[in-house]
Amino acid sequence: MKVLIAELRASIVLTLLLAAVCCGIYPLIVWGIAQGVFPGRANGSLVEVDGKVAGSSLLAQRFTGPKYFHPRPSAAGQGYDAADSGGTNLGPTSKKLIGTVRERVAAYRAENGLLPDARVPADAVTSSASGLDPDISVGNALLQAARVATARGIPKEAVLKRVRAHTEGRDLGVLGEPRVNVLLLNLDLDGKM
Amino acid sequence: MDIYGWVQLAIFLGLLLLATRPMGLYLFRVLDPEGKTFLDPVLKPVERIFYRLMGVDPAVEHDWKRYAVSLLAFSLVGTLFTYAILRLQHLLPLNPQHLGPLSGDLAFNTSISFITNTNWQNYGGESTMSYLSQMAALALHNFTSAASGIAVAAVLVRGIAWHTAKTVGNFLVDLVRTTLYLLLPLSLVYAVFLVSQGTIQNFRPYVTAQTVEPAAAPQTIVQGPMASQVAIKMLGTNGGGYTNANAAHPYENPTPLSNFVQIFSIFLIPGGLTFYLGRMVKNRKHGWSIWGAMAALFLAGVLLCWWAEAAGNPRLHALGVASASGNMEGKEVRFGIFDSALFATVTTDASCGAVNTMHDSMTPLGGLVPLVNLHLGEVVFGGVGAGLYGMLVFVILTVFLAGLMVGRTPEYLGKKIESYDVKVSALAVLLLILDIMGFTAWAVVSKWGLAGLNNAGPHGFSEILYAFSSATANNGSAFAGLSGDTPWYDTTLAVSMMIGRFFFIMPVLALAGNMAKKKILPESGGSFPVAGPVFAILLVGTILIVGLLSFFPALAVGPIVEHYLMIRSNAVF
């Protein structure tokens, strides 16, 4: 019994000490360095338009109009909810998944003027893991370019030029996949960058 | 399966190989109470103050039973600490979103989840937890449960290395030293790196953005002290995400580079522990043989997972979806197929459980790999500490089986393996199997078990099997469609997490205590060699026999039948 009391006493003291160091001092030091060296990133890579926060370059937001590039479908909250991230968690033989993708394939072909048997990029019709994937694949962006150009009344080549400018390669030449950031591309097309 | 994937795989294994020795040597110094490190000038005074306030004499070592009492007492205090904060978070500071208290069963499940290094998330981080709950209630255990795991591994290694010893160490000293000298400094550097990639670290309330397209509603954006927590959740193989989407969330894991470092950091300490073992038992080849066995199992898993995900879902291809980019449902564009498959394999090889892809949406065989990893006991590098002590239990069983085959008394590094050692090792392994299969069987025939399903058919069965496998293996990843936040699931999952953690640690400590007592016999020509390819192959064979024979029937009615239904039929669920 004496042993147990001594152990419990030491455990309580240690828990409080570690809480002070690991949960107080440590995050505060990281916070201090982060705010001092990388304030923009530490505060969410927020993008401002006319002095107001318009979103984050790291997070997808909803775009539905023809003159904007569209992000991937989102299952975060009611869609693109940046305070409630998540995926559909539907398995590969799910009736709901297959039905939804069938509708999205048809819609994607229709809005981008593709042939009825055209192959559609996988990322355009499937939901991302976070529901906030800020990127689309390069192939997906290229297929949307004609629609965006028509809606804006500008030559397709001008849109393609912006797509190329916003195409990010693999990190260090090998990590990850090439991608296009939807929000930054759309803001650029609006002339708000 | 493109060339970039192969190159990344080669870089990953190469870096792990390079990091193993320096990490192991550093662990050797940290886990020796008198060891010297380059951080002593700063941390030694802190360490001394800790012992003085705790009333602990760091020179005193205990036997395994007292070590176990220390561990359990500390775990009990930690559980109550977390439970109290989660229940009272609405009254405590650092809650700018005014989030309410957690329900009793959710707080119970979450406290157990973090104390056991599982970090199962029945809560959605950003919609449930205040900044204080994240920083204190949860992140504290990211440090302490990781340090406890490393401490137990150190005890088992000491038991094997020492001879005629009555004591195995002092839990509180091991815990303090591991946290101060290993986890804290690494996390600090790591967290700053994550911020440089785009992970947030602030105390502001959530931001409201006026979205670009006028028709779209304003967007509320999560904020908070994220980087400091993400660093330790990966390094300590905890895996509990700051957000619901975990490492798939662009704030938690902003770039392919941050992603690569996060995957690597899961294996960093477990890899070093194999070298620590070799150094302690003065047989470095033994440590490297175990490393080799782990690497072989890792490669088999990642290649199968990558292949299955790259092949994609034929049902979607039939609808006109391009097949070249593989199964993108539940994946992020910046990671693509390979980095998602690598993450899913590594996070379940170890007991991490962070995810950058939704395992529930993987192809049947892609999702089979994480599930099998859990069933093998997460001994492929494994959780920090937990991986090594789990692996050493299999080593004891391997040595025993090899001894049976040639009809000799089994010996491990000069010590006779006797009935007691085999019994406690087998007990540890069997309890976990019973835990997983027992709870799964109960859930699939119960209303409460079926009520939480997000998918039907064989995939629904996989959701339940994965939940109890993950909880028992203290992993924390999920086929996350399952709604686990019900009183039934909260409670049953918490019980299986406790069984998986403490009913494994207790036999391991008993084994360590018994091994430490033994004499070392001189090596003879008949001693079983525990280094080299023959040993590594026998070890892998033992792990596969125990893991696969126990779980194959369950896997057959889950992911395997789903695979054939997917490719050979039009059945949907």
Side-chain angles (χ1 to χ4, degrees), chain A residues 1-11, chain B residues 62-63 65-70 73 172:
Chain A
M1 201 59 208
K2 227 171 134 191
V3 168
L4 198 60
I5 288 169
E7 289 291 349
L8 281 173
R9 185 188 160 274
S11 294
Chain B
H62 299 298
D63 65 3
K65 286 176 191 157
R66 175 70 185 267
Y67 201 96
V69 170
S70 293
L172 295 167

Side-chain angles (χ1 to χ4, degrees), chain A residues 41 57-58 134-138 141 162-173 175-182 184-185, chain B residues 197 254-257 333-334:
Chain A
R41 295 179 179 205
S57 63
L58 288 178
D135 305 309
I136 53 177
S137 69
V138 180
R162 299 327 305 154
V163 170
R164 280 194 291 273
H166 285 277
T167 300
E168 262 185 276
R170 294 181 163 86
D171 282 15
L172 308 177
L175 304 178
E177 297 289 332
R179 56 207 183 273
V180 179
N181 186 300
V182 177
L184 295 181
L185 175 60
Chain B
Q197 295 300 299
T255 63
L257 179 62
V333 167
R334 63 191 177 287

Side-chain angles (χ1 to χ4, degrees), chain A residues 26-27 30, chain B residues 119 134-135 139 142-143 186-188 190-195 198-201 224-243 246-254 258-259 261-263 265-266 343 352 354:
Chain A
Y26 157 67
V30 177
Chain B
N119 300 25
Q134 296 270 16
M135 280 166 65
N142 288 356
F143 285 96
L186 276 174
S187 299
L188 188 62
Y190 189 179
V192 171
F193 161 75
L194 288 173
V195 176
T199 304
I200 56 175
Q201 180 77 8
M226 192 185 279
S228 52
Q229 193 162 340
V230 171
I232 185 62
K233 85 153 188 208
M234 303 306 297
L235 196 60
T237 61
N238 303 278
Y242 189 98
T243 59
N246 210 304
H249 195 290
Y251 275 168
E252 287 203 35
N253 195 358
S258 70
N259 183 61
V261 172
Q262 291 195 11
I263 303 173
S265 66
I266 298 176
F343 201 119
C352 183

Side-chain angles (χ1 to χ4, degrees), chain B residues 18-69:
Chain B
L18 286 178
T20 296
R21 186 170 182 273
M23 192 71 234
L25 288 174
Y26 189 68
L27 279 163
F28 185 74
R29 288 157 179 264
V30 171
L31 292 169
D32 173 1
E34 272 140 38
K36 305 235 179 309
T37 75
F38 70 103
L39 293 167
D40 281 6
V42 189
L43 293 175
K44 202 76 195 171
V46 181
E47 190 190 350
R48 286 207 191 96
I49 294 172
F50 267 52
Y51 297 144
R52 200 175 313 140
L53 292 175
M54 288 154 61
V56 165
D57 179 354
V60 174
E61 291 188 347
H62 299 298
D63 65 3
W64 77 267
K65 286 176 191 157
R66 175 70 185 267
Y67 201 96
V69 170

Side-chain angles (χ1 to χ4, degrees), chain B residues 202-557:
Chain B
N202 62 51
F203 294 96
R204 300 175 175 193
Y206 294 5
V207 174
T208 304
Q210 281 305 324
T211 46
V212 175
E213 202 173 51
Q219 194 180 32
T220 304
I221 298 177
V222 62
Q223 297 291 306
M226 192 185 279
S228 52
Q229 193 162 340
V230 171
I232 185 62
K233 85 153 188 208
M234 303 306 297
L235 196 60
T237 61
N238 303 278
Y242 189 98
T243 59
N244 189 43
N246 210 304
H249 195 290
Y251 275 168
E252 287 203 35
N253 195 358
T255 63
L257 179 62
S258 70
N259 183 61
F260 196 79
V261 172
Q262 291 195 11
I263 303 173
F264 181 70
S265 66
I266 298 176
F267 272 179
L268 177 62
I269 296 173
L273 278 166
T274 63
F275 190 88
Y276 168 75
L277 167 73
R279 177 83 165 71
M280 283 288 285
V281 301
K282 300 196 174 62
N283 183 345
R284 295 196 182 189
K285 279 189 188 157
H286 177 52
W288 283 114
S289 300
I290 288 182
W291 193 98
M294 291 173 164
L297 286 166
F298 157 70
L299 275 176
V302 76
L303 291 177
L304 175 60
C305 187
W306 181 21
W307 170 78
E309 292 304 298
N313 182 347
R315 299 296 188 79
L316 300 190
H317 302 157
L319 302 175
V321 176
S323 59
S325 37
N327 174 28
M328 285 302 287
E329 178 67 28
K331 291 194 179 52
E332 301 277 300
V333 167
R334 63 191 177 287
F335 306 140
I337 298 297
F338 176 77
D339 285 351
S340 301
L342 179 65
F343 201 119
T345 307
V346 169
T347 198
T348 49
D349 277 339
S351 74
C352 183
V355 295
N356 80 348
T357 174
M358 292 301 133
H359 292 190
D360 215 347
S361 295
M362 291 170 88
T363 58
L365 295 184
L368 175 81
V369 170
L371 197 47
V372 168
N373 280 339
L374 303 178
H375 292 160
L376 298 184
E378 293 171 343
V379 292
V380 182
F381 296 101
V384 286
L388 184 67
Y389 64 68
M391 189 54 132
L392 286 172
V393 165
F394 277 112
V395 169
I396 300 281
L397 293 176
T398 304
V399 170
F400 172 66
L401 291 177
L404 285 185
M405 284 192 270
V406 295
R408 284 182 59 97
T409 311
E411 261 177 53
Y412 176 41
L413 293 164
K415 287 182 172 177
K416 276 201 179 121
I417 300 299
E418 290 154 308
S419 150
Y420 180 86
D421 310 305
V422 177
K423 274 184 198 157
V424 288
S425 300
L427 181 70
V429 172
L430 292 176
L431 276 172
L432 298 200
I433 296 169
L434 197 65
D435 183 9
I436 296 174
M437 293 320 300
F439 275 113
T440 303
W442 184 16
V444 294
V445 295
S446 307
K447 263 201 188 122
W448 62 266
L450 301 174
L453 291 179
N454 186 46
N455 287 277
H459 200 81
F461 174 76
S462 300
E463 279 185 347
I464 295 177
L465 177 65
Y466 199 102
F468 288 104
S469 304
S470 173
T472 303
N474 295 152
N475 186 274
S477 68
F479 273 19
L482 184 78
S483 306
D485 183 19
T486 61
W488 273 99
Y489 266 117
D490 276 333
T491 311
T492 50
L493 287 168
V495 170
S496 38
M497 288 188 262
M498 275 194 282
I499 294 175
R501 178 77 167 180
F502 298 111
F503 284 65
F504 199 88
I505 283 182
M506 291 307 131
V508 163
L509 289 176
L511 176 66
N514 196 50
M515 293 291 286
K517 273 191 268 176
K518 296 180 195 232
K519 288 190 213 127
I520 291 194
L521 309 167
E523 208 171 317
S524 71
S527 303
F528 178 65
V530 287
V534 172
F535 167 71
I537 290 167
L538 274 174
L539 180 58
V540 169
T542 308
I543 295 168
L544 291 179
I545 287 171
V546 172
L548 289 184
L549 282 189
S550 312
F551 294 103
F552 185 79
L555 295 172
V557 296

